[in-house]
Amino acid sequence: MPVIHIDSNKLSRKQKRELVKVITKVSSEIMKLPENAITIIIREVEAEDVGLGGQLLCDRDL
Amino acid sequence: MPVIHIDSNKLSRKQKRELVKVITKVSSEIMKLPENAITIIIREVEAEDVGLGGQLLCDRDL
Amino acid sequence: MPVIHIDSNKLSRKQKRELVKVITKVSSEIMKLPENAITIIIREVEAEDVGLGGQLLCDRDL
Amino acid sequence: MPVIHIDSNKLSRKQKRELVKVITKVSSEIMKLPENAITIIIREVEAEDVGLGGQLLCDRDL
Amino acid sequence: MPVIHIDSNKLSRKQKRELVKVITKVSSEIMKLPENAITIIIREVEAEDVGLGGQLLCDRDL
Amino acid sequence: MPVIHIDSNKLSRKQKRELVKVITKVSSEIMKLPENAITIIIREVEAEDVGLGGQLLCDRDL
């Protein structure tokens, strides 16, 4: 513990590496816990599986 | 906020569109919140990854 | 299965009853599954525990 | 209810079958609930999507 | 990793201790991972926050 | 979307404010998404509800 779940759109491995590094660092500092106590799980979600304001993300022209 | 996670079996894009539209509408009405405040995330789960009553769903002859 | 998690602000029992009834009904119709296959879990989240756009919800004057 | 989510590394179907069977059995005994009340959902997570101590699991030489 | 989330009804500390001990043990054996790799998080859910078959659990006479 | 769930031990409002601010900022930069697209939900978990290595956190002398 702590465990952080990140539901996000598609990310590159580089982005994931960066996210895990930085979020672990800032969480460790703010929570005053060692970095190795922190687990992060990333779940990439397809645009077809996300609804915002009643509409599928894939149906919105971004 | 609110955030709604739906773990479900395989769905077509049409079913997802319908689910997101209707669940957002009824949630917005009942919670008295604007539709664009509501995020829905659908996670399709394989029958091999679901256990009901101690048995994998894929092992059950439905 | 399906399992639906709803993270939401504080709700009355009446609202919860209504949400569960309607979301189960529409999900059952769209997913073509019996209503008793559907589990809904509501998690009320305090405004102090929600971040939107980098700000705690309790810090925003709604 | 109860609903148990298992985020884990890649598992064989045999392991999933075993996990679901045993975890349902022990949970049913300890919680004093019938086995068919218990739903288990397994989510296999790639090593690239797990951060431990600020490092992606795929970057660690295990 | 692995991380196991258990949404359940109210449990005593003794039941939680027992659940964590046994589920960690069997998961470790089946997944062939050390026990200290396994994190379990228990979330007790009120009957008023659970919907089964379109009805709040608190509205059902068990 | 993205939605970030943080299961953590007890935190002060100041820590939550800081976590939400910093995690939103770094996530926005790395994911190249606007800050207002990011939702964070914090769930404080009692030591009695966390199992690490088969033991309840509250049973461990920290």
Side-chain angles (χ1 to χ4, degrees):
Chain A
M1 258 270 289
V3 175
I4 301 176
H5 278 91
I6 303 175
D7 288 314
S8 94
N9 41 313
K10 201 97 190 77
L11 297 171
S12 68
R13 180 174 288 198
K14 186 168 170 290
Q15 286 177 301
K16 293 174 185 178
R17 189 173 289 132
E18 198 54 24
L19 264 178
V20 157
K21 192 175 140 210
V22 180
I23 289 181
T24 301
K25 185 170 176 301
V26 300
S27 304
S28 161
E29 285 160 8
I30 296 169
M31 293 174 169
K32 298 186 178 38
L33 287 170
E35 292 204 5
N36 61 16
I38 297 168
T39 303
I40 296 179
I41 295 177
I42 297 168
R43 293 184 296 225
E44 289 167 308
V45 189
E46 301 289 342
E48 172 182 298
D49 293 328
V50 181
L52 293 176
Q55 212 183 9
L56 287 184
L57 204 54
C58 61
D59 291 347
R60 288 173 142 204
D61 32 49
L62 297 183
Chain B
M1 259 271 287
V3 175
I4 300 175
H5 278 90
I6 303 175
D7 288 314
S8 94
N9 41 310
K10 202 100 189 77
L11 297 170
S12 67
R13 181 175 288 199
K14 187 169 169 289
Q15 286 178 300
K16 293 174 185 178
R17 190 173 287 132
E18 196 55 22
L19 264 178
V20 157
K21 193 174 139 210
V22 179
I23 289 181
T24 301
K25 186 170 175 301
V26 301
S27 303
S28 160
E29 286 160 9
I30 296 169
M31 293 175 170
K32 297 184 179 41
L33 288 169
E35 292 204 6
N36 61 16
I38 297 168
T39 302
I40 296 179
I41 295 177
I42 297 168
R43 293 184 296 226
E44 289 167 306
V45 189
E46 301 289 340
E48 173 181 301
D49 293 328
V50 180
L52 293 176
Q55 214 184 6
L56 288 183
L57 205 53
C58 61
D59 291 348
R60 287 173 143 203
D61 33 47
L62 296 183
Chain C
M1 258 269 287
V3 175
I4 300 175
H5 277 90
I6 303 176
D7 288 314
S8 93
N9 41 313
K10 202 100 191 71
L11 296 170
S12 67
R13 181 176 286 200
K14 186 169 171 287
Q15 287 177 300
K16 293 175 185 178
R17 188 174 290 131
E18 196 55 22
L19 263 178
V20 156
K21 192 175 138 209
V22 179
I23 289 181
T24 301
K25 186 171 176 298
V26 301
S27 303
S28 160
E29 286 160 9
I30 295 169
M31 293 174 169
K32 298 184 178 40
L33 288 170
E35 292 205 5
N36 61 16
I38 297 168
T39 303
I40 295 180
I41 296 177
I42 297 168
R43 292 185 295 226
E44 289 167 307
V45 188
E46 301 288 342
E48 172 181 298
D49 293 328
V50 180
L52 294 176
Q55 213 183 8
L56 288 184
L57 204 54
C58 61
D59 291 347
R60 288 174 144 202
D61 32 48
L62 297 182
Chain D
M1 258 271 290
V3 175
I4 300 175
H5 277 90
I6 303 176
D7 288 315
S8 94
N9 40 312
K10 202 100 190 76
L11 296 171
S12 68
R13 181 175 287 201
K14 187 169 170 288
Q15 286 177 301
K16 293 174 185 178
R17 190 174 288 132
E18 198 53 24
L19 264 178
V20 156
K21 193 175 139 207
V22 179
I23 288 180
T24 301
K25 186 170 175 300
V26 301
S27 303
S28 159
E29 285 161 10
I30 296 168
M31 293 175 170
K32 298 184 178 41
L33 288 171
E35 292 205 6
N36 60 18
I38 296 168
T39 303
I40 295 180
I41 295 177
I42 298 168
R43 292 185 294 226
E44 290 168 305
V45 189
E46 301 290 340
E48 172 181 299
D49 292 330
V50 180
L52 294 176
Q55 214 183 8
L56 288 183
L57 205 53
C58 61
D59 291 347
R60 287 174 142 201
D61 32 47
L62 297 182
Chain E
M1 257 270 289
V3 175
I4 300 176
H5 278 90
I6 303 176
D7 287 315
S8 93
N9 41 314
K10 202 97 191 74
L11 297 170
S12 67
R13 181 175 287 201
K14 188 169 168 287
Q15 286 177 302
K16 292 175 186 178
R17 190 173 287 132
E18 196 55 23
L19 264 178
V20 157
K21 194 176 137 208
V22 179
I23 289 181
T24 300
K25 187 171 174 299
V26 300
S27 303
S28 160
E29 286 162 8
I30 296 169
M31 293 175 169
K32 298 183 179 41
L33 287 170
E35 293 205 5
N36 61 17
I38 296 168
T39 303
I40 296 180
I41 295 177
I42 297 168
R43 292 185 296 225
E44 290 168 307
V45 188
E46 301 289 341
E48 171 181 299
D49 293 328
V50 180
L52 293 176
Q55 213 183 8
L56 288 184
L57 205 54
C58 61
D59 291 346
R60 287 173 143 204
D61 30 51
L62 297 182
Chain F
M1 258 271 290
V3 176
I4 301 175
H5 278 91
I6 303 175
D7 288 314
S8 94
N9 40 312
K10 201 100 191 76
L11 296 171
S12 68
R13 180 175 288 201
K14 187 168 172 287
Q15 286 177 301
K16 293 175 185 177
R17 188 173 290 130
E18 196 56 21
L19 264 178
V20 157
K21 192 176 140 208
V22 179
I23 289 181
T24 300
K25 186 171 177 296
V26 301
S27 303
S28 160
E29 285 161 8
I30 295 168
M31 294 175 168
K32 298 184 178 41
L33 287 170
E35 293 206 6
N36 62 16
I38 297 168
T39 304
I40 296 180
I41 295 177
I42 297 168
R43 293 183 296 224
E44 288 167 308
V45 188
E46 301 289 340
E48 171 180 298
D49 293 328
V50 181
L52 293 176
Q55 214 183 6
L56 288 183
L57 205 53
C58 61
D59 291 347
R60 288 175 143 202
D61 32 50
L62 298 182

